[in-house]
Amino acid sequence: MICSVSSSSSSSTNRSGPSWLDRLRHSKGFPTDDGLDLDVFVTSNPNPNLQPNPDTPSRPSLSDGHQRNRSSTDLFGLMSSVLSELFIMGDPPKIRPKALRKQQNPRPRAQPSSDADENVPWQAVLTTAPSADISGTDCRRSPEEEKAFNKKMTSDESDLSGYSCTRVTVIDTSAAEAWKSEKVVFRKGMVWKFRDKKRGGSGSGPPLSLKRKRKFGQVAAVPVTLEKRKRRNPMRALKASSKNGCTGSGVVEASKVKQIKIPSKRICRPSFLNLDCKPSPEKSPVLTLQDVCKFKKKKACLRSRHKMK
Amino acid sequence: MAPPKKSKKTKRRHADSAKCSTKVSTSVDYKTVESDWWNCFWLKNSDSEPAVPSNETEGFKYFFRVSKKTFDYICSLVREDLISRPPSGLINIEGRLLTVEKQVAIALRRLASGESQVSVGSAFGVGQSTVSQVTWRFIESMEERAKHHLKWPEKSRIEEIKSNFKIKFGFPNCCGAIDATHIIMTLPAVETSEDWCDQASNYSMFLQAIVDDELRFLDIVTGWPGSMTVSRLLKCSGFYKLCEGGKRLEGEFIVAKAAYPLLPWLITPYNDDESNKFFNTKHEAIRVMAERALSMLKGAWRILHKVMWRPDKHKLPSVILVCCLLHNIIIDSGDALRDDVPLSIHHDLGYEEKSCDQVTSRGMVVRENILRHLQSHECHQLV
């Protein structure tokens, strides 16, 4: 609400002139006496001749009606008319639900297509092609999948907005490479476009027919290398490498083990394996795993001898 | 003194011998069960339907569409795949492992009848999940192992096909007929898309097939949405690209219905039926071979005929391919479908045929040449 009498109100602070209340009373034809009994005034003046100030903006819907039909008990109406003349009240407040900031059914904005074969104006696409499923309901994927898919498509999909898209698996016995291939079908009304579905990375993966699912009771044919293990789980890789060290050459290849990034110092607990990245030179000389194994063997030998005795 | 430790090697030996013994026992089980599965199935299902023939051999064909000999051949194709993966979870009610034969029988019955996995499972005494897994495993194996039953023929075979068409219908240089059919399915609400909704308001997947004079499939394309037109489907196929690139059908052609474009290697009928009735009648005689082949396919392998309940759209092409492979295997092995196999009048009932306006000048020239050849041949015969 904007106050229209801000200047007058500010001037009301001037004590030399009449106060804003006096002026208000005066403008409405009320007596300005301080000792006025309002109750008496209201009852004795059921229809006061109120002359609104022509300069002040009047709201006929409020002031006129209220002034004409005012009863003795309609004090509230009187006051509201007075206030409305003093202030720009605006429209009576209507109770409306707060508008949602987001669209309830968001749809991608159709962009003008640059295709040569598409002469339909882009605005008309939405209205004239009801079959064009712009939302692309068939493309509902998990968020991760969606991200990956979008990333793949951004490079060449700039001209395909407004098209519905469907991923299909096609078997073609005359296909140049493998019989089975995955395609992406873009459709807008009668306009169809087809793309080969890109494979992740280089796109030179094995043909789909060769890429078979793991069967029951079948362990993955490709052995998990130490490098892969390292990437997946450094702790497990560490254990595996130490195991190999014991059973194999007997010496843990420190250089290899050092490559593993160990986030926590606690992982470096077996300090005798020299896995700590900061070996202290003052401490006891570094033992290799071979030494440990030898030591254990010796100990076992001694024990057995002791028992024999 | 501590007891001498047993070396690891001896332990391993024991373990190996134990494994061997289980292998032996398994193989023994296989042998005993091998002959059992059919007897059990026959006893259980011979009276299940009134149409089941009383003859056991015919009964076998009734249930599995193939003779026992062909069945054995199919088993030999997939044996390696099905036996090399011991079906740890796939056991029948008696708690024994499923044999390759029983797995093949389950899969064939599922494809042939199109019945639900539950009812197929109950016929064999296995669960729904087993039917699902066995069928998919069979399909995967057949896709790889039976490829040689569906390929574009060699030059010598092409010559044979051409001469057969010429003898039967008088068309020179004809290598086959092309047609397409819709495999109808229902889609889950989340996957429902206009792209799969065809002209008959069904959700469907296309199968395009080229057949020879024996109704064998020479080439198929499947997996594309049924909402396309057949001419667009053709253009999406590798066959079209090969033909347009001059790598296939050089100086030869195949026949197609009016919904296809007229191309030098793809001959459609004349639109004006009256003036070229002679040509169109002969053309029609070859073209219906493709229709018959597709009707047979859908009749024999009824999983394709029924409305599929929410299939995996990425797996359905494999199912269609394997049915086509089985169709060819039946022809290659000299089996014939039983007369009581229900064949519909048309493979694609309820679909209106729309003619394609695309006509190439070279296609018109070829068609005119064929017409002239047919007319001269007819005159020669009359004389």
Side-chain angles (χ1 to χ4, degrees):
Chain A
M1 197 163 65
I2 301 162
C3 182
S4 62
V5 287
S6 57
S7 58
S8 62
S9 65
S10 63
S11 63
S12 69
T13 50
N14 189 2
R15 290 189 182 185
S16 59
S19 71
W20 67 272
L21 189 61
D22 295 340
R23 276 187 280 115
L24 176 64
R25 283 174 177 172
H26 179 72
S27 70
K28 298 294 169 191
F30 297 147
T32 51
D33 304 354
D34 288 341
L36 178 70
D37 187 356
L38 260 179
D39 290 337
V40 173
F41 171 75
V42 168
T43 47
S44 62
N45 296 289
N47 192 11
N49 186 19
L50 295 175
Q51 295 295 324
N53 190 352
D55 297 336
T56 53
S58 64
R59 298 194 61 83
S61 59
L62 277 174
S63 60
D64 295 352
H66 279 286
Q67 281 165 13
R68 268 188 233 115
N69 307 318
R70 188 182 57 187
S71 65
S72 59
T73 54
D74 197 5
L75 183 62
F76 177 77
L78 176 70
M79 289 309 290
S80 67
S81 69
V82 168
L83 284 171
S84 70
E85 281 171 7
L86 279 172
F87 305 104
I88 297 168
M89 301 284 279
D91 288 330
K94 289 175 186 171
I95 298 160
R96 268 188 212 168
K98 196 181 175 184
L100 295 170
R101 281 173 60 231
K102 288 181 180 176
Q103 293 176 42
Q104 281 183 327
N105 298 305
R107 305 183 108 191
R109 182 171 167 250
Q111 295 287 340
S113 175
S114 59
D115 294 331
D117 58 344
E118 190 61 38
N119 298 321
V120 186
W122 69 273
Q123 293 92 341
V125 168
L126 290 168
T127 52
T128 58
S131 59
D133 187 9
I134 287 159
S135 57
T137 46
D138 208 47
C139 297
R140 285 175 196 184
R141 302 173 199 95
S142 64
E144 295 83 17
E145 222 182 345
E146 188 71 51
K147 267 184 192 174
F149 185 73
N150 286 341
K151 207 175 178 183
K152 279 180 199 169
M153 288 295 160
T154 40
S155 56
D156 54 355
E157 211 186 330
S158 55
D159 58 336
L160 292 171
S161 54
Y163 283 73
S164 68
C165 93
T166 310
R167 287 191 296 178
V168 295
T169 299
V170 173
I171 291 181
D172 190 338
T173 56
S174 290
E177 292 168 3
W179 279 12
K180 206 186 264 190
S181 61
E182 283 192 39
K183 312 263 184 197
V184 186
V185 178
F186 297 95
R187 185 193 179 191
K188 188 158 72 174
M190 293 302 289
V191 182
W192 293 76
K193 289 183 179 188
F194 311 101
R195 299 272 158 90
D196 286 326
K197 195 188 162 197
K198 289 173 191 171
R199 301 198 163 274
S202 62
S204 58
L208 203 76
S209 55
L210 298 176
K211 206 179 175 185
R212 303 180 70 170
K213 277 184 183 175
R214 195 161 67 92
K215 307 297 181 316
F216 289 100
Q218 220 180 18
V219 185
V222 183
V224 181
T225 58
L226 186 65
E227 285 300 315
K228 277 185 182 174
R229 275 190 211 169
K230 274 178 202 173
R231 256 179 270 138
R232 282 183 206 156
N233 191 347
M235 188 63 195
R236 196 179 282 177
L238 186 71
K239 280 179 185 172
S241 62
S242 66
K243 206 175 181 183
N244 287 342
C246 279
T247 53
S249 61
V251 183
V252 176
E253 291 176 41
S255 60
K256 266 190 181 180
V257 178
K258 271 183 184 174
Q259 286 173 3
I260 307 166
K261 287 178 183 174
I262 302 159
S264 167
K265 279 186 180 178
R266 276 202 284 177
I267 297 171
C268 309
R269 208 179 285 158
S271 58
F272 60 88
L273 288 176
N274 193 21
L275 294 173
D276 202 334
C277 302
K278 294 172 187 174
S280 56
E282 297 99 41
K283 282 181 184 174
S284 58
V286 176
L287 288 171
T288 62
L289 201 68
Q290 202 175 19
D291 297 336
V292 177
C293 290
K294 273 181 185 175
F295 177 70
K296 279 184 178 175
K297 270 184 185 176
K298 245 183 184 179
K299 209 174 178 184
C301 243
L302 283 169
R303 261 187 210 163
S304 61
R305 274 182 199 170
H306 185 73
K307 278 180 182 175
M308 287 278 277
K309 280 175 186 177
Chain B
M1 188 182 155
K5 277 186 183 176
K6 282 182 185 176
S7 69
K8 280 185 182 176
K9 277 184 184 175
T10 53
K11 268 188 185 176
R12 265 185 208 162
R13 259 181 229 155
H14 277 290
D16 287 347
S17 61
K19 270 186 191 172
C20 286
S21 64
T22 52
K23 269 186 186 173
V24 168
S25 66
T26 312
S27 65
V28 167
D29 274 354
Y30 273 129
K31 277 181 184 174
T32 52
V33 174
E34 213 164 272
S35 56
D36 278 356
W37 79 267
W38 167 245
N39 293 332
C40 292
F41 181 84
W42 181 244
L43 275 172
K44 200 173 180 181
N45 298 287
S46 56
D47 302 328
S48 60
E49 292 167 44
V52 179
S54 54
N55 181 357
E56 212 171 301
T57 314
E58 284 301 307
F60 191 92
K61 217 172 171 183
Y62 173 85
F63 283 113
F64 306 110
R65 305 280 189 247
V66 294
S67 65
K68 275 192 174 173
K69 192 182 161 194
T70 311
F71 180 85
D72 288 340
Y73 169 70
I74 294 167
C75 288
S76 73
L77 284 177
V78 296
R79 187 174 298 279
E80 204 179 312
D81 283 337
L82 301 192
I83 209 163
S84 64
R85 290 177 270 150
S88 53
L90 306 178
I91 52 170
N92 60 12
I93 280 173
E94 297 95 45
R96 286 183 288 196
L97 293 173
L98 293 180
T99 60
V100 172
E101 283 73 16
K102 191 165 180 176
Q103 290 182 57
V104 172
I106 290 168
L108 286 181
R109 185 64 195 147
R110 168 88 176 111
L111 298 176
S113 68
E115 287 172 6
S116 69
Q117 293 172 348
V118 174
S119 57
V120 171
S122 68
F124 283 92
V126 295
Q128 170 268 327
S129 164
T130 305
V131 175
S132 168
Q133 289 176 48
V134 161
T135 308
W136 181 243
R137 192 186 283 187
F138 172 78
I139 285 164
E140 272 192 313
S141 178
M142 282 290 284
E143 267 187 292
E144 291 296 318
R145 308 270 177 190
K147 268 184 170 178
H148 56 281
H149 284 281
L150 206 165
K151 60 176 184 179
W152 191 253
E154 301 291 322
K155 198 82 184 166
S156 57
R157 173 68 190 141
I158 286 280
E159 291 301 323
E160 203 180 316
I161 292 167
K162 276 159 64 175
S163 88
N164 286 343
F165 273 122
K166 195 174 181 188
I167 293 163
K168 284 182 192 171
F169 309 102
F171 262 58
N173 289 333
C174 179
C175 292
I178 189 171
D179 204 351
T181 192
H182 294 86
I183 310 297
I184 302 169
M185 57 191 169
T186 59
L187 292 178
V190 285
E191 283 180 37
T192 303
S193 163
E194 287 299 312
D195 292 350
W196 294 97
C197 190
D198 59 31
Q199 47 158 308
S201 301
N202 295 320
Y203 294 107
S204 64
M205 185 178 278
F206 256 129
L207 164 64
Q208 177 190 276
I210 298 163
V211 301
D212 67 5
D213 59 311
E214 294 175 349
L215 307 180
R216 284 180 85 261
F217 293 118
L218 301 180
D219 181 274
I220 68 152
V221 181
T222 188
W224 294 105
S227 54
M228 288 178 162
T229 57
V230 288
S231 59
R232 188 180 297 280
L233 173 68
L234 173 75
K235 283 168 190 172
C236 290
S237 65
F239 182 79
Y240 177 87
K241 283 158 198 161
L242 287 175
C243 291
E244 287 292 295
K247 290 176 183 169
R248 192 171 280 178
L249 294 180
E250 293 169 88
E252 295 143 352
F253 63 89
I254 55 171
V255 297
K257 58 187 177 186
Y260 285 91
L262 175 64
L263 302 167
W265 49 269
L266 187 68
I267 302 302
T268 55
Y270 282 101
N271 286 336
D272 45 343
D273 216 23
E274 284 306 309
S275 56
N276 295 295
K277 199 173 181 182
F278 174 67
F279 177 90
N280 281 0
T281 313
K282 295 223 173 237
H283 181 278
E284 176 82 1
I286 303 175
R287 197 181 60 74
V288 291
M289 298 194 84
E291 281 184 10
R292 273 179 60 203
L294 289 172
S295 288
M296 279 171 66
L297 177 81
K298 281 189 168 180
W301 309 103
R302 296 194 72 76
I303 193 164
L304 303 182
H305 183 77
K306 295 189 172 179
V307 179
M308 255 182 254
W309 176 249
R310 296 181 175 185
D312 183 335
K313 290 196 294 300
H314 300 283
K315 285 182 175 179
L316 183 54
S318 301
V319 178
I320 297 167
L321 169 67
V322 168
C323 289
C324 292
L325 289 169
L326 289 167
H327 171 95
N328 279 7
I329 287 171
I330 288 174
I331 295 168
D332 292 344
S333 58
D335 277 1
L337 283 182
R338 280 175 53 80
D339 295 333
D340 56 2
V341 169
L343 302 180
S344 60
I345 307 158
H346 193 269
H347 57 84
D348 235 6
L349 280 175
Y351 286 88
E352 198 183 318
E353 196 174 297
K354 291 174 185 169
S355 60
C356 179
D357 298 331
Q358 195 190 337
V359 173
T360 60
S361 54
R362 280 182 63 215
M364 284 171 79
V365 169
V366 173
R367 189 163 67 179
E368 286 296 318
N369 288 342
I370 297 165
L371 176 64
R372 248 179 268 135
H373 173 87
L374 289 174
Q375 283 169 341
S376 67
H377 188 71
E378 191 75 5
C379 289
H380 185 72
Q381 275 189 337
L382 284 171
V383 170

